[in-house]
Amino acid sequence: MNRFAHEKKSHSLLRQLLTTAVIFLCAAFFLVIGTNAVSSTASDEQAKSLQTAITRSAVQCYAAEGAYPESLDYLCEHYGISWDAEKYVVDYEILGANLMPTITVIPID
């Protein structure tokens, strides 16, 4: 039996283990990066959805009552708008009773 054959096998086994470990770490890294990208995209889409809901409620209020709501609290009480205040900051700026308010939704990271 060749006495060097055993050492060659151990180096081969070590190389296979290192290759497997590197492939696993790369896959885990890309999984984490992909998850973060999806989470960020979902948060942006939720912010857009919230802004759309607030805008539609303001327009519905204008159609039903003849004026845009004076505050965001009015929309919350009478039109069922709600959001997670720990995730989003909502700015509702009134320009006048007959002018569409400026609505800004900012995700908090």
Side-chain angles (χ1 to χ4, degrees):
M1 177 179 248
N2 187 353
R3 68 181 199 184
F4 297 109
H6 180 65
E7 288 181 27
K8 197 171 190 180
K9 276 187 172 180
S10 67
H11 288 296
S12 177
L13 179 62
L14 181 61
R15 182 176 294 151
Q16 288 176 350
L17 288 173
L18 285 175
T19 302
T20 303
V22 167
I23 290 172
F24 176 77
L25 290 174
C26 287
F29 174 75
F30 286 118
L31 180 66
V32 168
I33 294 296
T35 302
N36 287 342
V38 168
S39 176
S40 175
T41 302
S43 179
D44 291 343
E45 288 300 318
Q46 287 175 350
K48 287 179 187 177
S49 177
L50 177 59
Q51 184 167 357
T52 301
I54 294 171
T55 302
R56 286 183 180 171
S57 295
V59 170
Q60 184 180 5
C61 178
Y62 183 77
E65 300 177 18
Y68 287 105
E70 294 181 10
S71 69
L72 194 55
D73 292 333
Y74 186 84
L75 281 178
C76 293
E77 290 173 15
H78 295 89
Y79 290 89
I81 296 294
S82 65
W83 69 93
D84 188 355
E86 293 179 5
K87 289 185 178 183
Y88 303 101
V89 173
V90 178
D91 180 43
Y92 184 85
E93 195 172 325
I94 297 233
L95 304 173
N98 62 343
L99 296 175
M100 178 71 178
T102 303
I103 301 165
T104 307
V105 178
I106 303 169
I108 300 172
D109 294 326

